[in-house]
Amino acid sequence: MRVGTAKESYAADEGLFKTDTQKVWFGLLMAGLLLFPLNGSNYWMFLAVLVMINVISTTGLNILTGYTGQVSLGHAAFMAVGAYTVAFFDGRFDTPVLLNLVLAGAVAAGIGYLVGLPSLRIKGLYLAIATLAASVILGFVFLNWTPVTGGLRGLNVPTATIAGIELATPDRLYWLVMPICVVMVLAAKNLFRTRVGRAFIAIRDRDISAEIIGISLFKYKLMSFAISSFYAGVAGGLWAYLFRVVTPESFPALASIFFLAAVIVGGAGTIVGGIFGAVFMTLIPEFLKLSATALVPWFPDASIYLAPVRNIIFGLLIIGFLIFEPMGLAEMWRRTRRYFALWPFRT
Amino acid sequence: MSPLHPAAPVRPPAARLDVENLSLQFGGVKALDGIDLNVAPGSITALIGPNGAGKTSAFNSISGFYKPKTGTVRLDGEDITAVPARDRAKLGLARTFQNIALFRGMTVLDNIKLGRHAHLTAGVFDAFLYWGKAKREEMELRAEVERDVIDFLELDHIRNVPVAILPYGLQKKVELARALAMRPRILMLDEPVAGMNREETEDMARAILDVREEWGVTVLLVEHDMGMVMDISDHVCVLNFGRRIAAGTPEEVRNNPDVIKAYLGSSGDPRRAAEGHAPVGEVA
C-alpha cells in the first residue's frame, strides 16, 4: 500500500516519475523491451517494430489533437512524406540512416507547418476537412511527381545500414526503432512539463485566455503542427525501412483515421494514452486473427467466417470504448493505479 | 512593502492607466462614446454602471481585445492602443474574465504557471530535453508561484486539482491567482465577485485589498456588488449608455444626482440600492 508521497523539493515534485513505484515499473518496461527479442519469433518482432512505429506516430498526433485540440485527418500523409524522404535520400544519395530519419522528420515538419496555416482561421471540423484536403493534395503530389516519388510504382528503399550492419530483418531493425521510440515518447512527456506544452494545452482549453496571457496562437499552433508532423515523419521513415517500398498506396486516408482512433481509444491528451492506443489498434486485429486461427481444429471453416466477423468485433470494441470509457485506456489505467495505490483499502 | 514575504523579489511599481476619448462601435450601436478614465498608480478604481453601460466593452478595449474606433490607452504615459492583446501581458497588464476563462483540463498549479508564460523563454528543444534552461526555469517558476501566489491566496490544498471540478468561488480565485502570476502592474478584474455568496465575496474582497497592499499593483475592477465597490474602492467611475456620467470618490458618486437617476430612474437614492447588496463591512 502506498499511503502518500512526501517530497522535499520542487524538483522531486516536478519529476518525470513521482514515486519509486513508477520508477520500478519504468525499469521493468525497459528491461522487457531489452529482453523481448529473446522470443526469437520473426512474426512477433515484426509486430513489435510496427507497434513502436505506430506509437511514435500516435504520440505525434496526440500532441496536435489530444493536447493542442487541433483535429487532423492528414496525419498519415505526413508519415508518407517521411517515408518518401527516407526512400529518396537513402536510395539516391546513400546518406546515413539517422540523418535520413532526421531529414524525414524535418521535411514532414516543414510541410506540417504549411498545412497548419489554415488552423489560424478555422477550428474543429472545418480544420479536420482542411487537413484532409491537404492530405489529398499530398497524395496527388506523390502520384505525379514521378522524378522524385517514382509515381505509381513508388520507390524501393535500401536496407537500413548502420556501421556496416544491415538491419534487414525486423529483429535487427528493432534495435533502431526501439531506442528512437523510447526517446521520442520521453521527449513528448518532457514537453508537457514546460511552458511550451502548457501553451499547447491552454490553446486547446481556451484560446481566448491563452492570448490574453501572452501566448501567441500563431506561433504555438504552427509549432504544434510542426512537432506532430516531425513525429509522423520519423515514424514514416522507420516504416519505409521496415516495408522497404513506398508507394502512393502505402498511406491511405484511412490510415489517418486509424491514428485518430488510436488517440481517442488510448486517451487524448495523455502520453501513456498514445502508447495504449497504438498498441491496442495494432495488436487487437492480430489477436483476433490469431484467435480465429486457433478455432480451426474445432471449426474448419472458422477462418472463412471469422475474417469478416473480426472486423465487426474490432469496430464494436472501439464503439464500446467510446461509450463506456470516453477518456480512453489511459483513464482505465489511472483508475487501476489508484485502486492499487490504496490497496487493500478502497476509496 | 511586504512584511509577510521578505524573500519576495522587488515588485515592479504600480502602473498608471489613462484612457482618453475611447469610442467603440458595433455596427450602429455605440458601445462606448468618448470615455475618459484615469487610474492612479496603486489605487483601486471601480468601473460601475447599469447593465449594458459599456463596462465590459471598456475592459475589452483596454486589454486589447477590441479595437476602439477612437481614443488612446496609455500605460504609464506610453501609448499602447495599437499593441496586440498578447503583448500587453508582458507590459504588466493582466485581467480576469466575467465568465471564468480558466483552462479547465489543467490543474490549479498549471493554470497559475501559465500566467507566467510570457516571462519565460525556454524553447521547444530545451523543452524536449527538460535539461539546462528549461529545468532551471521551471524550478524557479515553481518556487516563485508557490511562495508568491499559492501561499498568498491560500490555494495549497487544491494545487493539484483540475480546475473543472472546483466550486465557482475557488475558480474565480484561481483566475485571480493566474493573473497575479503574470506579475501585473495593473490588474483588471471583470466582476470578481459576481454570483458569489457573502462569504466568498468577503474572501475575494480581502484578497483584492491584500494584493494591492502587498504586491503594490493598481487594481481596476468592474463590479455590480455596490456594497463591495463602495467599501474597497478609492475611486469610482460610472458609465451609462457608453458615456461616463460621473467619477470621483465613492462618497461623491453615491450622492451624484446623475448616478442616482441612472440606477433608479428619475428620483431615488442609490444608498438604498447599495443596502440591498451584502456589504463587506469588516474589510473596509
Side-chain angles (χ1 to χ4, degrees), chain A residues 123-185:
Chain A
K123 293 182 193 174
L125 280 178
Y126 298 89
L127 178 64
I129 297 303
T131 53
L132 183 64
S135 79
V136 171
I137 295 172
L138 283 172
F140 184 82
V141 171
F142 298 144
L143 193 59
N144 292 293
W145 197 15
T146 314
V148 173
T149 64
L152 190 59
R153 285 174 44 231
L155 294 174
N156 287 318
V157 184
T159 312
T161 309
I162 292 182
I165 303 167
E166 291 209 335
L167 310 175
T169 48
D171 59 321
R172 291 193 176 177
L173 208 50
Y174 182 86
W175 297 106
L176 174 68
V177 177
M178 190 267 283
I180 292 180
C181 178
V182 170
V183 166
M184 290 185 82
V185 169

Side-chain angles (χ1 to χ4, degrees), chain A residues 10-14 63 184 186-188 190-199 201-218 220 223 227 231, chain B residues 63 65 85-86 89 95 97 99-106 109-110 113-115 117-118 120-124 127-130 134 137-139 141-143 146 160 178 182:
Chain A
Y10 292 133
D13 198 35
E14 302 263 335
I63 290 172
M184 290 185 82
L186 285 179
N190 274 341
L191 185 65
F192 292 98
R193 297 161 71 199
T194 65
R195 72 191 278 265
V196 180
R198 281 196 299 269
I201 305 176
I203 290 171
R204 175 194 70 190
D205 281 359
R206 202 172 272 257
D207 49 0
I208 288 174
S209 0
E211 184 118 45
I212 282 289
I213 271 172
I215 294 169
S216 159
L217 298 187
F218 179 81
Y220 283 96
M223 192 192 280
I227 292 173
Y231 274 68
Chain B
S63 59
F65 235 46
R86 64 167 179 278
R95 72 166 287 186
F97 287 84
N99 313 311
I100 296 167
L102 288 167
F103 307 113
R104 297 176 60 80
M106 303 175 98
L109 184 60
D110 278 343
K113 279 179 179 174
L114 263 164
H117 180 90
L120 305 178
T121 54
V124 63
F128 275 132
L129 297 174
Y130 201 77
E137 218 174 56
E138 287 300 318
M139 288 305 116
L141 169 64
R142 176 74 194 271
E146 287 284 347
N160 289 321
R178 186 179 67 186
M182 295 168 79

Side-chain angles (χ1 to χ4, degrees), chain B:
Chain B
M1 180 75 218
S2 68
L4 284 179
H5 302 279
V10 180
R11 301 281 170 221
R16 173 180 184 82
L17 181 77
D18 294 291
V19 174
E20 213 171 283
N21 191 28
L22 195 68
S23 295
L24 180 71
Q25 212 160 341
F26 297 113
V29 180
K30 273 191 177 168
L32 297 175
D33 191 2
I35 301 274
D36 290 323
L37 175 68
N38 303 301
V39 182
S43 71
I44 294 181
T45 302
L47 199 56
I48 63 170
N51 286 329
K55 305 179 295 291
T56 298
S57 293
F59 246 50
N60 285 341
S61 303
I62 294 169
S63 59
F65 235 46
Y66 294 159
K67 230 173 213 34
K69 192 160 148 262
T70 65
T72 53
V73 179
R74 285 203 180 82
L75 195 66
D76 282 334
E78 189 191 341
D79 189 345
I80 61 164
T81 321
V83 176
R86 64 167 179 278
D87 294 332
R88 297 189 193 198
K90 249 181 264 184
L91 295 174
L93 192 139
R95 72 166 287 186
T96 66
F97 287 84
Q98 182 176 349
N99 313 311
I100 296 167
L102 288 167
F103 307 113
R104 297 176 60 80
M106 303 175 98
T107 62
V108 170
L109 184 60
D110 278 343
N111 265 281
I112 298 173
K113 279 179 179 174
L114 263 164
R116 185 57 56 75
H117 180 90
H119 296 272
L120 305 178
T121 54
V124 63
F125 295 106
D126 297 319
F128 275 132
L129 297 174
Y130 201 77
W131 196 261
K133 190 180 193 178
K135 183 168 186 188
R136 209 168 47 239
E137 218 174 56
E138 287 300 318
M139 288 305 116
E140 282 168 15
L141 169 64
R142 176 74 194 271
E144 194 177 324
V145 158
E146 287 284 347
R147 183 187 61 219
D148 294 349
V149 182
I150 293 186
D151 277 2
F152 181 67
L153 291 176
E154 294 165 6
L155 297 169
D156 343 25
H157 59 298
I158 50 163
R159 65 160 81 76
N160 289 321
V161 178
V163 290
I165 65 171
L166 289 177
Y168 180 80
L170 272 179
Q171 289 196 10
K172 280 272 191 191
K173 214 166 165 187
V174 173
E175 215 188 356
L176 174 65
R178 186 179 67 186
L180 281 182
M182 295 168 79
R183 279 193 198 147
R185 299 194 302 135
I186 176 160
L187 188 60
M188 297 172 57
L189 308 172
D190 197 349
E191 302 207 12
V193 302
M196 286 192 179
N197 62 31
R198 182 178 167 153
E199 197 183 332
E200 288 169 329
T201 304
E202 286 176 11
D203 196 41
M204 181 60 87
R206 204 169 290 122
I208 294 170
L209 287 169
D210 282 351
V211 165
R212 195 259 302 258
E213 200 66 32
E214 297 211 5
W215 288 62
V217 300
T218 312
V219 179
L220 173 63
L221 59 98
V222 162
E223 186 48 66
H224 275 297
D225 186 327
M226 282 310 139
M228 170 173 148
V229 166
M230 295 300 168
D231 276 347
I232 72 170
S233 311
D234 305 314
H235 190 85
V236 179
C237 172
V238 190
L239 299 185
N240 196 21
F241 296 117
R243 290 223 183 98
R244 189 177 89 171
I245 56 171
T249 63
E251 203 50 43
E252 286 165 12
V253 166
R254 201 193 291 253
N255 298 318
N256 185 309
D258 288 339
V259 178
I260 295 168
K261 202 172 149 201
Y263 269 89
L264 296 176
S266 52
S267 70
D269 183 355
R271 265 171 296 193
R272 290 221 315 269
E275 279 154 15
H277 293 78
V280 208
E282 53 273 64
V283 180

